[in-house]
């Protein structure tokens, strides 16, 4: 007897051997069959989906759950376009904060909306004796007041209170880490939002590091969230590469640097596991710190690398030698050159054909770099929603020649490079359906089409959020398609993304989300379920 049979639906399985089905059977959290294989079998529960469209649960291959949950509970200046309005929000938050001398965090900072960066002197006028920290929406910079600048080690570079990349990390290091309880609750808030958008599995893009880490024991917060029922979806944790340390392992192991006890990619189970090693090579395009091979349009610089090129390359190689899958953050084309060179060197030293190294973002990739991606078997983990929300700005600072290379789609697929969809939430919108729409349309919020030749089909975009996401995370044996034997993770939609006009894909309702065959999230009830 089946536990559950889902019937009267259009199952888009993403499995070429059985692409469309109308019935699906579930037993102990697994898909046991489709259509005639299960239609006549008795079931404890039969759910009539009344013609809904069902897809494999979406996989978001690059998210920041803890940051998302914390940001949702932080005072925000998002949407403010005048300096005086921002300062008014900070002043109000400072008045409501605890005793003077403590920290005041503000979210939603983006200098582009204001026309320039805020300064430490301006924050001093409204900080009421508190240490003020405004985090840039990209996560790659912040503005602080003089009370913070006075505590920084000598030589930390800043521009009137704006700290980028490693300098921001130095400011964050002055603060006490969040408690595991705070983090677990934040993770839970973010996970529930992702689930409501049809996401059943995700990869947390960097824990424990100086740049994005929230605690030196951050992995424990995810364990706590799971133990207390706060983690309703599958999570794979990328570990920040700055957590690696020198080890005196046996020379035959060939491991120069490692995490304690040799922990590496693959540890854990199907609900919570350790994924790739996250290596940051450059910054972000919003903060103008993505490392380009030539300057931004209208600026006299080309961004920056996170460290000396040799140091970054050695970190990538050390991670490969220690047995990790690598997720290399490289937004600019200069950073991508560094990443590809280091990955090629690593594979030369110790070939690992099935490792599936990834380049996160791949925001600006030149035509000559595409064959190298393909040759090295590297996946491109992109964020299509960046084009929607930031596309006008990105196109302007890249110029006419480079704008078509932004967050590519078609070129990756045509070169045989796995195209993997993700959100980078909370940097921008996390909805996979809206991202699928943008992958097809390539249209910014103003209606500008950016790199129209890079558009993909709806089917290809859906694969980026299902099959390709599973492949990038080594989950293809259990996730990514509605195939017998795989986990019964699926999303019920109010319409078929392949049958509506592409402009409507992002508005399709996510009716319900199932994880391990159980309804983990529902936005409304389908009538007359029997």
């Amino acid at each position: 007897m089946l536990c559950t049979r889902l019937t009267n639906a259009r199952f888009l399985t993403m499995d070429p051997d059985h692409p469309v089905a109308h019935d699906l059977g579930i037993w102990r959290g697994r898909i046991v069959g489709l259509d005639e294989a299960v239609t006549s079998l008795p079931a404890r529960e039969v759910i009539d989906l009344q013609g809904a469209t069902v897809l494999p649960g979406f996989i978001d291959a690059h998210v920041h759950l803890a940051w998302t949950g914390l940001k949702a509970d932080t005072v925000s200046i998002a949407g403010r376009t005048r300096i005086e309005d921002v300062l008014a929000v900070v002043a109000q938050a400072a008045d409501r904060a605890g005793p003077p001398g403590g920290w005041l965090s503000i979210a939603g900072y983006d200098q582009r909306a204001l026309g320039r960066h805020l300064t430490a002197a301006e924050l001093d006028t409204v900080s009421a004796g508190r240490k003020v920290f405004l985090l840039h929406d990209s996560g790659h910079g912040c503005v602080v007041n003089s009370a913070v600048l006075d505590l920084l080690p000598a030589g930390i570079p800043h521009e009137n209170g704006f700290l980028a990349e490693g300098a921001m990390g130095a400011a964050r290091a002055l603060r006490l880490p969040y408690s595991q309880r705070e983090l677990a609750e934040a993770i839970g808030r973010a996970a529930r939002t992702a689930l409501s958008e049809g996401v059943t599995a995700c990869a947390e893009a960097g824990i424990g590091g100086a740049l994005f880490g929230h605690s030196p024991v951050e992995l424990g917060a995810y364990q706590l969230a799971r133990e207390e029922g706060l983690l309703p979806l599958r999570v794979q944790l990328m570990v920040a590469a700055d957590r690696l340390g020198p080890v005196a392992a046996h020379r035959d192991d060939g491991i120069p640097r490692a995490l304690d006890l040799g922990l590496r990619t693959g540890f854990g189970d199907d609900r919570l596991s350790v994924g790739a090693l996250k290596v940051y090579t450059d910054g972000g395009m919003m903060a103008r710190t993505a490392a380009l091979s030539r300057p931004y349009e209208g600026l006299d610089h080309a961004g920056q690398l996170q460290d000396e090129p040799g140091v970054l390359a050695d970190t990538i190689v050390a991670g490969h030698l220690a047995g990790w899958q690598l997720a290399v953050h490289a937004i600019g084309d200069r950073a991508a050159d560094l990443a590809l060179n280091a990955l090629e060197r690593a594979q030369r030293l110790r070939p690992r054909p099935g490792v599936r190294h990834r380049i996160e973002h791949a925001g600006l990739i030149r035509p000559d770099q595409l064959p190298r991606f393909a040759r090295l078997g590297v996946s491109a983990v992109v964020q299509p929603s960046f084009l929607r929300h930031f596309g006008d700005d990105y196109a302007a600072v890249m110029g006419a020649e480079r704008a078509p290379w932004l967050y590519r789609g078609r070129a990756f697929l045509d070169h045989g490079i796995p195209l993997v969809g993700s959100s980078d939430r909370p940097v921008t919108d996390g909805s996979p359906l809206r991202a699928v729409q943008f992958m097809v349309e390539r249209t910014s919020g103003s209606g500008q089409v950016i790199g129209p030749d890079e558009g993909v089909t709806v089917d290809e975009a859906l694969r980026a959020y299902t099959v390709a996401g599973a492949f990038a995370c080594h989950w293809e044996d259990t996730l990514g398609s509605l195939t017998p034997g795989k986990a019964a993770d699926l999303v019920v939609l109010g319409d078929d993304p392949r049958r509506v006009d592409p402009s409507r894909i992002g508005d399709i309702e996510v009716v319900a989300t199932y994880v391990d065959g159980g309804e983990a999230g529902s936005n409304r009830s389908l009538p007359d379920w029997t």
Side-chain angles (χ1 to χ4, degrees):
M1 175 181 286
L2 300 174
C3 288
T4 305
R5 185 170 79 248
L6 304 179
T7 188
N8 189 18
R10 182 175 177 80
F11 293 93
L12 306 182
T13 69
M14 310 309 290
D15 182 345
D17 292 334
H18 197 142
V20 180
H22 53 78
D23 274 23
L24 181 144
I26 300 170
W27 173 252
R28 294 186 176 178
R30 296 277 169 168
I31 298 168
V32 294
L34 302 167
D35 292 341
E36 291 74 18
V38 297
T39 301
S40 60
L41 295 178
R44 292 176 186 168
E45 180 181 35
V46 177
I47 299 177
D48 183 347
L49 294 178
Q50 301 189 17
T53 295
V54 182
L55 280 159
F58 295 126
I59 297 170
D60 191 334
H62 184 118
V63 302
H64 300 277
L65 291 179
W67 178 17
T68 300
L70 292 169
K71 182 177 180 179
D73 257 16
T74 301
V75 174
S76 176
I77 55 172
R80 271 72 174 187
T81 58
R82 301 192 309 164
I83 298 290
E84 54 265 38
D85 292 341
V86 168
L87 295 177
V89 173
V90 176
Q92 196 173 47
D95 287 342
R96 294 197 302 263
W103 285 86
L104 176 62
S105 294
I106 304 289
Y109 177 66
D110 186 346
Q111 86 286 355
R112 298 171 305 172
L114 302 173
R116 66 169 174 84
H117 279 298
L118 281 170
T119 68
E122 289 169 326
L123 289 177
D124 290 344
T125 65
V126 294
S127 56
R130 291 167 179 81
K131 305 176 188 73
V132 181
F133 184 102
L134 274 66
L135 180 62
H136 196 279
D137 263 347
S138 68
H140 287 273
C142 65
V143 177
V144 299
N145 65 346
S146 297
V148 178
L149 294 177
D150 291 344
L151 297 174
L152 290 172
I156 295 294
H158 72 90
E159 185 179 338
N160 297 321
F162 177 69
L163 303 165
E165 310 301 342
M168 178 192 70
R172 294 184 74 155
L174 298 171
R175 308 180 61 172
L176 284 173
Y178 290 95
S179 72
Q180 287 192 346
R181 168 64 55 189
E182 289 175 294
L183 289 175
E185 292 175 354
I187 290 161
R189 285 193 294 272
R192 290 190 294 274
T193 299
L195 195 74
S196 73
E197 295 171 338
V199 175
T200 57
C202 64
E204 167 67 54
I207 63 168
L211 195 61
F212 282 94
H214 300 94
S215 165
V217 289
E218 195 166 358
L219 190 151
Y222 283 85
Q223 289 182 287
L224 179 62
R226 181 185 177 178
E227 289 163 358
E228 301 206 349
L230 300 175
L231 200 60
L233 41 71
R234 305 178 197 279
V235 178
Q236 192 178 85
L237 303 171
M238 301 185 202
V239 177
D242 52 12
R243 302 301 300 176
L244 297 186
V247 293
H250 192 283
R251 64 185 180 187
D252 289 350
D253 293 335
I255 299 176
R257 281 187 275 168
L259 218 57
D260 287 348
L261 302 177
L263 189 73
R264 58 176 173 81
T265 302
F267 186 82
D269 58 27
D270 64 346
R271 293 299 291 253
L272 182 62
S273 62
V274 175
L277 185 73
K278 180 73 177 293
V279 183
Y280 294 94
T281 64
D282 69 345
M285 220 167 274
M286 293 167 63
R288 310 304 193 234
T289 53
L292 310 179
S293 56
R294 66 176 195 263
Y296 291 86
E297 291 287 317
L299 299 177
D300 61 359
H301 69 86
Q304 66 188 74
L305 295 172
Q306 292 283 359
D307 208 328
E308 292 299 317
V311 172
L312 294 170
D314 286 348
T315 299
I316 291 170
V317 171
H320 175 91
L321 294 177
W324 288 89
Q325 178 191 21
L326 296 169
V328 184
H329 168 113
I331 292 182
D333 60 330
R334 176 159 54 109
D337 278 334
L338 186 152
L340 293 168
N341 289 341
L343 291 171
E344 188 169 34
R345 175 179 147 207
Q347 290 284 22
R348 228 177 15 246
L349 290 172
R350 181 175 296 169
R352 294 173 60 203
V355 68
R356 300 180 199 170
H357 293 321
R358 311 156 38 143
I359 290 188
E360 309 299 300
H361 307 295
L364 186 77
I365 300 300
R366 303 186 310 269
D368 64 285
Q369 292 174 315
L370 294 166
R372 297 195 67 198
F373 267 78
R375 188 167 64 250
L376 289 167
V378 174
S379 295
V381 183
V382 301
Q383 295 76 43
S385 292
F386 282 15
L387 290 178
R388 176 70 170 186
H389 295 277
F390 316 130
D392 292 334
D393 174 62
Y394 286 7
V397 296
M398 289 303 106
E401 180 189 1
R402 292 182 292 182
W405 307 341
L406 287 165
Y407 293 91
R408 292 176 178 271
R410 171 57 51 206
F412 286 132
L413 292 176
D414 286 351
H415 282 79
I417 300 162
L419 175 65
V420 183
S422 69
S423 69
D424 202 16
R425 75 170 76 220
V427 175
T428 190
D429 177 26
S431 163
L433 284 172
R434 284 193 283 272
V436 165
Q437 176 180 327
F438 306 150
M439 292 181 86
V440 175
E441 292 185 324
R442 305 278 304 181
T443 304
S444 73
S446 72
Q448 179 183 182
V449 180
I450 300 168
D453 292 342
E454 291 295 331
V456 302
T457 68
V458 174
D459 275 330
E460 289 166 335
L462 291 172
R463 287 183 65 83
Y465 276 90
T466 53
V467 176
F471 179 83
C473 296
H474 290 270
W475 278 331
E476 73 276 11
D477 289 340
T478 55
L479 304 178
S481 67
L482 302 181
T483 302
K486 292 191 176 184
D489 290 7
L490 37 92
V491 55
V492 181
L493 303 178
D495 214 331
D496 185 342
R498 305 187 308 180
R499 294 185 170 186
V500 303
D501 187 274
S503 64
R504 291 183 49 218
I505 294 173
D507 295 325
I508 293 174
E509 182 183 11
V510 175
V511 177
T513 310
Y514 287 76
V515 177
D516 279 335
E519 188 178 352
S522 178
N523 294 330
R524 69 173 170 86
S525 295
L526 288 171
D528 299 325
W529 281 19
T530 58

